[in-house]
Structures are given as structure tokens and as C-alpha cells.
Amino acid sequence: MSSPTLEHPHRYHAFISYCPDTDTNNAKKILEVIENEGFQCCFPERDFLPGGALIDLVVDAIHSSRHVILVISPSSLQSEWSKFEMLLAVDDSHTRNRVCLVPVLLGGVKLGCLPPPLRLLTCVELREKFENVYDIIQAIKKADYTWESLLPVGNLAHGFAWGYYFGYLKIILPTIDVRAKEWWMDNGKNGKMSEKLFLLFPQSCRCRDSLSDENPLIEHVGHLPVITKNRAGTVARQYRNSIYSIQDDRGEEYYFVGEYVTVIHTMYEMEQNAKTGLQTREKYIQAMRFYLTIKDILEKDPECSKRYRIIFYKDKSGSSEKIPRLICREIKKQIQEESADDRLSETSFSSLEQFSSICGPDFNLYSIVNSVNSHMSKSEPYIHRDEKGKLKTVERGDQLTNVFNEPI
């Protein structure tokens, strides 16, 4: 059986991702069978040189491989590091727009147990004696295909994200902090206020008429100064952002500019209308792609990158009680970050080295050269890339943890 020819940037036919605590022996059996058929694999235990930053090695191995074989067992679904590798593989696959992931299920793991981004893929349920291990070889020999081929209604996420950016966020975000300060000074409220725009992203994509409809503890208290702009034939079009108040468990009051990621409500409405052909699983994939795309767009725009926060949450029955606490936690983080940025701006360049990160140690923004142990936490990473698309830093945040971990 001949193996496909490797072309730049690929040095391997497959990178094998597995939970080193429990699945190494099974992963080695898979490796042996695949390499006996002439395929070149990257196997961390064997091929990663000591002394390097593990996350750098994983990112490079995934990017340098035509396929990523995800050995998924009950243990790997509980392992923070294994889920981290799955997330990196999903991100790379979407960035390249190639379906290059081969989930291999062990120990009775079923399709419904997988993170939602993997559920549209064809999986190999490996039998106890590995009789069907050659199904993995067939999977990595298949011709390449795109994510759009799995989405009957096409790539909604790309158009939605760019439309949301050019048609709205690029207009209101650059001055969101200035307008928040202006409102705060004019109204003289007690409490604290973040200068960022908080964008709520419910997993169902259903957006209510007001954030107060999520929970009565979220109270609408006013609006930012209006932006007026001539646009697309509408003279003096107004852009109005709402301000809400919320109290934490100790009764301390916080104010924030908040709204839903309104464009995703279209996905929810499409899901409800059979004529559109958008199924629930596909909607989730589209929502995830939208999330990654809009984050990537905004992070590359210096006028927008530090002026927003997306809060992803699972909106099931009873979940509305937790939303105020989630919002309070994010507001506190952002207020602390804003304070750190203010202190940093007053600090001379020569003294910057005293800061463990530009946002302070509590904000989990780590360079990829940090030690591996710094990434072993309950939160999953968000991937920051440079202008060429190369991974630059990894930020752990609850919103992406939920995107990747929470089942529908």
C-alpha cells in the first residue's frame, strides 16, 4: 500500500495525539501499524526533542502533518492537556480549511461524547483487538476535502463574521472606552464600570430582546452617547449601546456596556426554519467557526482588539441563574486588566520586565515559550496569531473552554 507524497509544509503523514497518562500503549500499537505501511508519523514520546517548549513542539507537529490522529478515550476526554491538543488540531484544521482530523475512539467512547467540533467527522471506533486498525490508514489516504463540504448550507460563519465587523463592530468599538468614561462621569454612579463592550454568545444562538430577559438581576440603566453616521443610503444612522448594572454576591455594583452577538440570532432562526436546511449540529459548527473568525478579525485590528470581551455560555434550562455571576467575574477581570494597563502606561520601558505578562499574572496570557505546567489548568486556550497566521500566544479563557467542551 503506497502512502501519499508529502509536500511542503508537511513533513509527516500524521501526528498522533493521545493521553500520555493512560493511552500510550494503544497509541504505540496504532503507530506501529501505520508506519509498517510506509507512512511517516510524528509521535511525541519518540520524536519530541528534550528541552524544547512542549506547546511549540505540538503546534509545529500539527502544522507539519497532513492529518492528526486523535486517540480519544474516556481518560483523554477528562485530560486538560489532551483537550488542549484537540483544540489546537481543530484550530489548525479550520485555519487551513481542510478536514484533516481522524478521531479514533477507544474504551467505549461514542460520537455523542465528543466535543461538538468533532461530531461531524467520520470516526474510527477501534475494536478491542484492533481488528479494524486499518480503517485509520484508509482515513489518512483519502483525498483532502474542506469543511464547507460538511456544511450543506455553506460557510455562513465567514460572511457573518466579516459583515458583523465591517457593518457594526468597526464602527462602535474604537470609541467604546471613551464613551463609557463619558457616561460614567456624567452619571456619577456608585460602584465600578468596565470600559469594554461585553458580547454575550449563548450556545443556542438565541438572542433575547434585552439582557435583563436572561436574568432580572441584570438591570438596564441607560445608553452610551450615540454614534451618528451616514451609511449605505441612511442619513444620520444612529448606533446606540446599552448600559446595564449587576451586583456580585457581596452586593457590590458593577456597570457594563453589554449586548448579544446579534448576528448569531440569524443562525438560530435558520435552525427553526426547515427551508434553510440548517441542522442543529451544523449550526454549532457554524457558531464555532464564527467565534474563531470574529476573534481573529478583531485581534488583528488595533482599534478593536482591547475593547471587547465575548462571553460564551451554555443557555440551558436553569442556566440563567449563573449568568450574572459569570458576567460579574468577567467584569472584575476586565476592570483589573484596565487598571494594569493604566499602571503599565505610566511605567518606563526599562521596568517592563517586572510584569509577568502585559495584563498581569491573573489574566492567563502566556507566551508559548512558557513551561508546559503553566498550561495545565481547568481552562482551555485561545490562540492568538500574527499577521501571517502563525501562532503567537495562547490565552486561557472560560468562553473558549465552553465552546470546545460543552455538548449540545
Side-chain angles (χ1 to χ4, degrees):
M1 182 182 294
S2 60
S3 58
T5 302
L6 292 172
E7 299 179 355
H8 181 78
H10 300 138
R11 304 194 305 271
Y12 309 102
H13 291 101
F15 169 71
I16 302 179
S17 172
Y18 58 94
C19 178
D21 296 333
T22 58
D23 300 330
T24 301
N25 289 337
N26 287 327
K28 285 181 176 179
K29 292 178 183 178
I30 294 171
L31 171 69
E32 182 180 2
V33 170
I34 294 176
E35 292 197 327
N36 283 343
E37 297 295 328
F39 292 86
Q40 299 177 42
C41 295
C42 180
F43 194 75
E45 183 181 277
R46 179 192 66 186
D47 299 320
F48 284 178
L49 297 176
L54 182 55
I55 188 172
D56 284 347
L57 296 172
V58 170
V59 169
D60 180 67
I62 290 174
H63 187 67
S64 302
S65 301
R66 288 192 73 248
H67 290 86
V68 177
I69 298 172
L70 301 170
V71 180
I72 302 176
S73 67
S75 296
S76 64
L77 291 175
Q78 298 299 317
S79 166
E80 299 302 327
W81 183 258
S82 293
K83 288 186 290 186
F84 176 33
E85 287 192 358
M86 291 183 211
L87 177 60
L88 289 176
V90 168
D91 175 77
D92 184 77
S93 177
H94 279 282
T95 299
R96 290 191 275 171
N97 195 24
R98 288 184 57 252
V99 182
C100 54
L101 310 177
V102 182
V104 177
L105 311 185
L106 300 175
V109 172
K110 299 298 182 183
L111 185 65
C113 300
L114 299 183
L118 302 179
R119 294 183 193 172
L120 284 181
L121 306 179
T122 301
C123 302
V124 177
E125 293 189 41
L126 207 56
R127 301 191 188 107
E128 187 174 350
K129 296 183 179 180
F130 283 43
E131 301 100 328
N132 61 332
V133 69
Y134 286 94
D135 291 347
I136 302 174
I137 295 176
Q138 293 299 323
I140 63 178
K141 282 179 63 69
K142 286 183 179 179
D144 293 345
Y145 58 102
T146 65
W147 281 94
E148 279 79 4
S149 64
L150 298 178
L151 305 174
V153 300
N155 186 1
L156 298 174
H158 186 79
F160 280 10
W162 281 105
Y164 189 44
Y165 168 68
F166 282 117
Y168 182 63
L169 294 180
K170 190 172 177 60
I171 297 171
I172 62 106
L173 277 179
T175 61
I176 199 78
D177 53 345
V178 174
R179 291 184 293 132
K181 289 177 181 177
E182 183 179 340
W183 182 88
W184 184 251
M185 292 178 65
D186 290 344
N187 288 271
K189 297 285 187 178
N190 293 322
K192 298 179 180 179
M193 183 174 184
S194 173
E195 299 167 5
K196 288 182 170 62
L197 172 64
F198 287 80
L199 297 166
L200 270 63
F201 195 135
Q203 185 182 48
S204 70
C205 297
R206 180 190 178 192
C207 301
R208 300 175 185 271
D209 293 336
S210 168
L211 299 191
S212 300
D213 295 337
E214 287 283 5
N215 191 297
L217 296 177
I218 306 173
E219 182 181 356
H220 179 256
V221 295
H223 297 91
L224 290 186
V226 174
I227 293 177
T228 302
K229 185 179 181 66
N230 296 339
R231 187 167 179 83
T234 301
V235 178
R237 180 174 180 176
Q238 293 189 335
Y239 296 83
R240 188 186 301 272
N241 300 106
S242 296
I243 301 172
Y244 293 88
S245 68
I246 193 171
Q247 290 186 354
D248 64 10
D249 295 336
R250 296 180 296 181
E252 188 170 359
E253 195 151 21
Y254 292 88
Y255 296 84
F256 67 100
V257 186
E259 58 192 61
Y260 292 100
V261 181
T262 51
V263 69
I264 64 172
H265 190 72
T266 302
M267 295 188 196
Y268 173 78
E269 292 180 323
M270 290 179 67
E271 177 195 18
Q272 306 304 309
N273 191 326
K275 294 180 181 179
T276 68
L278 183 65
Q279 302 297 317
T280 299
R281 285 184 179 178
E282 184 188 348
K283 179 198 71 174
Y284 196 94
I285 296 295
Q286 297 276 13
M288 186 199 71
R289 296 199 74 186
F290 171 87
Y291 177 90
L292 294 173
T293 303
I294 195 64
K295 286 280 287 186
D296 186 59
I297 293 170
L298 293 175
E299 288 305 309
K300 291 178 180 177
D301 184 339
E303 290 188 319
C304 298
S305 61
K306 292 186 178 182
R307 293 183 168 91
Y308 76 99
R309 184 70 172 174
I310 299 177
I311 301 178
F312 190 99
Y313 62 97
K314 186 176 180 182
D315 52 333
K316 290 181 64 177
S317 177
S319 63
S320 62
E321 297 177 2
K322 302 177 182 178
I323 292 175
R325 184 177 300 173
L326 175 63
I327 294 175
C328 274
R329 184 177 64 189
E330 292 300 324
I331 292 174
K332 290 177 182 179
K333 285 182 179 179
Q334 296 313 307
I335 290 175
Q336 188 174 353
E337 179 178 343
E338 290 158 12
S339 298
D341 285 342
D342 289 341
R343 291 196 302 272
L344 187 62
S345 65
E346 299 171 358
T347 305
S348 65
F349 182 80
S350 62
S351 62
L352 287 181
E353 60 185 22
Q354 65 180 299
F355 291 87
S356 61
S357 74
I358 197 166
C359 296
D362 294 335
F363 290 93
N364 303 315
L365 184 63
Y366 293 99
S367 165
I368 59 175
V369 299
N370 279 0
S371 64
V372 172
N373 289 337
S374 66
H375 299 281
M376 303 294 284
S377 76
K378 293 183 179 180
S379 297
E380 296 302 327
Y382 177 74
I383 300 159
H384 296 277
R385 297 184 179 278
D386 60 21
E387 294 181 355
K388 297 182 180 179
K390 185 176 180 181
L391 186 143
K392 184 172 60 175
T393 56
V394 174
E395 175 186 1
R396 297 196 306 269
D398 293 328
Q399 70 272 24
L400 193 58
T401 302
N402 293 336
V403 170
F404 193 65
N405 290 342
E406 294 289 355
I408 294 174

